[in-house]
Amino acid sequence: MGTYGVPILRPDNLNQSLSLPRNSEIPNVSYLLYGKNGVFKQLRIFGEDNKPKVDIDYHMKDGEMSLHKHIYIDGVRQKEHIDLTPTEYDKYKKFLEKVLDK
């Protein structure tokens, strides 16, 4: 198990690339993905139906690194980048330590 009981995906080999699962066999689970440099890349939160509900991402947007979320509607990830609410930020900041240190 990973950080705070959330499984973490991190490449063992720096040439390897990873992505988060599209579906989960376990309802209401979340998965963390860290980049090769050990910095938070993505948190995927699954619902009761084992399908993703929300992705929290940290990547380039408009030339700057951006921490934001994407909502899933009917199993489809929406393109809109949405800022985290203060409540979401407080809830998930424990996973973002290396992002916040920058």
Side-chain angles (χ1 to χ4, degrees):
M1 198 51 78
T3 302
Y4 301 98
V6 175
I8 297 174
L9 301 176
R10 184 175 318 178
D12 292 328
N13 177 338
L14 292 181
N15 295 321
Q16 182 183 14
S17 178
L18 292 177
S19 61
L20 294 176
R22 291 179 183 235
N23 292 298
S24 173
E25 294 184 18
I26 304 167
N28 300 315
V29 71
S30 298
Y31 290 94
L32 275 167
L33 178 64
Y34 286 93
K36 296 173 184 175
N37 57 2
V39 173
F40 170 84
K41 190 172 181 181
Q42 188 175 48
L43 172 68
R44 180 162 294 154
I45 303 163
F46 291 87
E48 184 67 34
D49 61 358
N50 300 3
K51 294 182 180 176
K53 293 184 344 181
V54 176
D55 283 347
I56 297 175
D57 294 352
Y58 182 65
H59 61 78
M60 289 296 270
K61 177 183 177 256
D62 300 328
E64 293 185 13
M65 292 302 287
S66 169
L67 179 64
H68 57 275
K69 67 182 176 182
H70 296 271
I71 305 297
Y72 283 79
I73 298 175
D74 297 325
V76 177
R77 178 177 150 132
Q78 304 302 296
K79 293 183 180 185
E80 181 182 10
H81 293 180
I82 303 168
D83 291 336
L84 274 68
T85 66
T87 301
E88 290 170 325
Y89 184 82
D90 285 343
K91 181 175 182 178
Y92 299 114
K93 70 182 176 184
K94 60 190 167 216
F95 303 118
L96 311 173
E97 292 169 358
K98 290 189 177 185
V99 170
L100 301 176
D101 290 344
K102 297 211 173 249

